[in-house]
Amino acid sequence: MIAALLACYPVLLVSALWPAPAVFGMVAALSYAVEYLAPSAGRPLPDLLAKVHLSTTLRFAFRETMALLLVARTAGPDSPWFVALAAGVLAIHGVRAAHTGLAMRLRQMLSRMPVTTRNLDVSALRIPKLPPWPLRSSASLPFLYLDALPVLGAVFGAVPATYGAGLAIMCGAAGALAMVPYVRRAVPLTDKERVLQVVGEQVETYRPEVILYFSGATQAAYQARMWLPVLERIDRRAVVVLRERGMASHLEDTTLPMLCIPSSADLMSFRVLSSAKLCFYVANVGRNVHMLRIPSLRSVFLNHGDSDKEASFNPFSRVYDEVWVAGPAGRDRYRRAKVGVRDENIHEVGRPQLEGISTEGPGLPYRTVLYAPTWEGWNDDLFHTSLITMGPRIVRALLDHEPPLRVIYKPHPLTGHRDKSATRAHRKIVAMIEAAELAKSKARHPSRPEAGASHIRHLIVNGTEPSLYDCFNECDLLISDISSVVADFLASEKPYAVTNVANLSEPAFHERYPSTEAGALIGPDLSGLAEFLDGEDTLARARVKLRSHLLGPEYPDAMTRFNAAIERVIAGS
């Protein structure tokens, strides 16, 4: 696509200097089409051109210059229409600059609000609706395309080109003027004290008792997302406090009120949160310290899943008043690690998220295998992913298996965050699965439509849907790495296998990672995979026993235990 776009410019130059209006018009139209499609082809194309000083604005200016050359060659540089066209082309950029300034001002005012909300009535702030995308884009790209009117008009002569420039100026000016009311209505939002007061009044009316606090990258939003349905069901009023602007859009729909307070000073001075007695933390991040400084809040580390990873017994956990784990295994991890978390501060509350997980398979005429590798971790000590060294070979073996298997591939949301080789392995797996789908589709005979009814359709889960727990219910077997996926999957009591990336001996592996004791091991050479897929299931009883150790007892249920733990903390505050 880069070659097609760049090839247009020499042709435009030649067809303008040696006037060939018809050729100029066709090539100009083609260049606009390629320009429009370039962003949908991925960021590398526009970014690469910008790096070699061929930015979007420069490319549009080049087309405009070629149109001026064409008019100069056909109507003459002394023509008053040529002069008017030249002035008109400059004026188009002038109205674009005016719009850009207004759009940036609006974005700046909205982005500087000290607190933004969701599911709270802040109508008193009279926050204006955002203008349509063509108007609110601070890059003003739609305004650039207005120059197509004079550029393509030049094909028909100086007069149509000049009228086209005039029409483009009027359209651009109308768009810029349309931004003025939005900017004016947003001015009151720059009053920090008033915004905090209005939001504070609503929070005070709601009187939250429990806070879910979250800070992190958007890719890590799953860490908070998994707790939202649980907090909707507790017996106390809960509120979600976020720190990164725009994070709320990465969380699923919820009835819980949400506050985003980016500034640490604003957070610690937001006194209306003092009605809450308990604050949950789902990840160990530096910005937790801002909420931890509020002395009236009892701090509880929930984590975003129990696993044998070192992150599940991080020494940082000792800064919290309490650490809540799913079952006895979580307590044992902290005991063995000796990281300073006192045993009496650890409480077993179960995993309420797992209540909807079925112990039955999907009931299809073929088996479904879920491959859910973890990511690379923040450092080499946390490197448990099989994706880079084993992933493509595991998926290839599953796709080639006889009898055929259905493959569900769900990578971790943070895949490739630290090591780009994980991204390459992920793309290779996606290509393999897509190729297998295409090959099977071509193999089906068009005269036998009934063959499609039993066609195995593999699934690649790149987004948030279906959820991990939905994938559990859709599969018969799991292949995963050392992660909380393994512990959560035990709620299904279905067979699972864990990759032995470090190639430890089996006794050493099970001793270090107790959650694998009721699962098969797959070595770096894929040893154990064939036995897992085709051998007899001899670990059913072991999985039931391990489930209780990892997730706690079935009775009382996890939601009851979770609620009871909340009541204990609030009653003791």
Side-chain angles (χ1 to χ4, degrees):
M1 191 170 282
I2 290 179
L5 183 60
L6 296 181
C8 290
Y9 295 112
V11 180
L12 288 174
L13 176 62
V14 172
S15 60
L17 290 176
W18 288 272
V23 174
F24 182 92
M26 289 188 294
V27 176
L30 175 63
S31 69
Y32 278 115
V34 176
E35 194 81 57
Y36 179 77
L37 295 173
S40 62
R43 292 184 58 85
L45 176 57
D47 289 350
L48 180 59
L49 290 175
K51 286 178 181 178
V52 295
H53 307 294
L54 289 174
S55 64
T56 304
T57 301
L58 183 62
R59 297 195 299 272
F60 276 81
F62 186 90
R63 270 189 295 264
E64 295 161 3
T65 304
M66 296 304 101
L68 286 170
L69 284 175
L70 177 61
V71 171
R73 295 286 290 159
T74 54
D78 297 328
S79 168
W81 292 105
F82 171 76
V83 176
L85 176 60
V89 167
L90 289 176
I92 291 173
H93 287 278
V95 296
R96 181 194 175 215
H99 168 266
T100 299
L102 290 167
M104 290 179 65
R105 176 58 177 159
L106 177 62
R107 184 175 182 179
Q108 184 182 57
M109 287 190 291
L110 294 176
S111 66
R112 288 186 177 178
M113 287 181 63
V115 56
T116 55
T117 67
R118 186 166 139 189
N119 298 332
L120 278 175
D121 181 12
V122 290
S123 55
L125 290 176
R126 306 181 73 176
I127 300 174
K129 291 183 178 179
L130 288 176
W133 177 81
L135 292 181
R136 71 173 180 263
S137 169
S138 58
S140 300
L141 288 178
F143 286 72
L144 275 177
Y145 283 94
L146 289 174
D147 79 348
L149 294 171
V151 170
L152 297 180
V155 174
F156 304 98
V159 175
T162 304
Y163 279 117
L167 180 58
I169 292 169
M170 288 190 290
C171 292
L177 288 173
M179 287 293 296
V180 174
Y182 291 99
V183 174
R184 290 182 61 185
R185 287 195 292 268
V187 170
L189 300 180
T190 60
D191 186 342
K192 178 177 176 178
E193 297 301 323
R194 181 174 178 273
V195 172
L196 287 172
Q197 178 186 352
V198 171
V199 175
E201 289 172 354
Q202 292 302 312
V203 176
E204 192 171 16
T205 300
Y206 178 68
R207 294 192 60 80
E209 300 166 285
V210 176
I211 297 173
L212 176 68
Y213 177 92
F214 179 69
S215 175
T218 54
Q219 299 97 321
Y222 73 94
Q223 297 172 349
R225 188 185 300 124
M226 68 170 60
W227 287 106
L228 298 182
V230 174
L231 294 185
E232 286 179 343
R233 297 166 55 200
I234 64 175
D235 298 333
R236 297 286 181 163
R237 293 181 299 277
V239 66
V240 180
V241 174
L242 307 172
R243 301 300 308 283
E244 285 73 28
R245 295 188 188 276
M247 178 62 74
S249 63
H250 295 274
L251 301 177
E252 64 185 355
D253 290 337
T254 178
T255 59
L256 297 174
M258 287 188 181
L259 304 171
C260 178
I261 310 177
S263 165
S264 59
D266 291 339
L267 174 67
M268 290 185 285
S269 63
F270 201 62
R271 299 299 182 188
V272 292
L273 289 175
S274 61
S275 63
K277 304 300 181 185
L278 169 62
C279 185
F280 288 130
Y281 300 81
V282 298
N284 283 315
V285 294
R287 298 186 87 179
N288 286 5
V289 69
H290 301 145
M291 185 66 86
L292 286 167
R293 288 178 181 177
I294 301 177
S296 60
L297 282 173
R298 186 80 173 168
S299 60
V300 171
F301 183 57
L302 281 182
N303 211 340
H304 48 275
D306 273 17
S307 76
D308 292 326
K309 281 185 178 181
E310 288 79 354
S312 287
F313 45 87
N314 192 315
F316 189 83
S317 302
R318 62 174 174 262
V319 305
Y320 306 103
D321 295 316
E322 297 185 7
V323 174
W324 290 7
V325 296
R331 183 185 297 276
D332 290 346
R333 292 187 194 104
Y334 280 103
R335 283 174 175 169
R336 290 196 306 270
K338 298 179 180 179
V339 293
V341 178
R342 297 171 64 89
D343 192 69
E344 60 267 28
N345 292 337
I346 300 173
H347 299 271
E348 301 167 23
V349 298
R351 287 278 284 167
Q353 297 93 332
L354 308 180
E355 287 186 0
I357 294 178
S358 172
T359 57
E360 301 292 331
L364 299 173
Y366 41 81
R367 291 182 299 164
T368 298
V369 181
L370 169 62
Y371 177 48
T374 191
W375 71 298
E376 314 89 73
W378 295 111
N379 53 53
D380 290 341
D381 290 337
L382 299 175
F383 188 94
H384 297 289
T385 183
S386 61
L387 190 60
I388 299 172
T389 57
M390 301 166 61
R393 290 183 291 130
I394 288 174
V395 173
R396 181 76 272 160
L398 296 177
L399 293 174
D400 292 342
H401 187 270
E402 291 295 338
L405 300 167
R406 181 187 183 219
V407 176
I408 299 178
Y409 169 54
K410 183 172 176 58
H412 193 283
L414 290 174
T415 294
H417 197 74
R418 184 172 76 97
D419 191 338
K420 296 306 176 186
S421 59
T423 301
R424 291 191 291 271
H426 162 71
R427 290 173 178 166
K428 185 174 182 179
I429 290 174
V430 169
M432 288 166 52
I433 294 175
E434 289 177 344
E437 283 286 300
L438 181 61
K440 288 183 179 180
S441 179
K442 290 181 178 180
R444 283 181 289 165
H445 199 283
S447 64
R448 295 175 56 201
E450 70 279 0
S454 60
H455 173 54
I456 297 177
R457 298 193 63 85
H458 306 299
L459 179 62
I460 301 168
V461 185
N462 273 324
T464 58
E465 296 295 334
S467 70
L468 176 65
Y469 302 144
D470 290 334
C471 292
F472 285 177
N473 289 339
E474 287 189 36
C475 77
D476 300 284
L477 307 168
L478 168 74
I479 298 176
S480 189
D481 306 327
I482 300 300
S483 71
S484 62
V485 171
V486 172
D488 284 353
F489 189 75
L490 272 161
S492 73
E493 300 180 5
K494 300 173 188 175
Y496 68 97
V498 183
T499 60
N500 184 0
V501 178
N503 200 25
L504 299 175
S505 67
E506 187 169 339
F509 192 85
H510 287 318
E511 182 180 1
R512 185 168 182 177
Y513 307 116
S515 64
T516 68
E517 290 179 357
L521 295 189
I522 299 177
D525 59 353
L526 302 195
S527 57
L529 177 59
E531 178 67 20
F532 172 65
L533 296 176
D534 302 318
E536 183 181 353
D537 178 17
T538 60
L539 296 172
R541 290 186 178 180
R543 289 194 298 273
V544 174
K545 181 180 179 181
L546 185 59
R547 168 182 171 160
S548 296
H549 185 59
L550 289 175
L551 304 177
E554 288 191 64
Y555 305 101
D557 62 80
M559 195 67 223
T560 299
R561 284 182 281 147
F562 191 80
N563 253 323
I566 292 175
E567 294 302 318
R568 173 185 55 77
V569 172
I570 292 179
S573 298

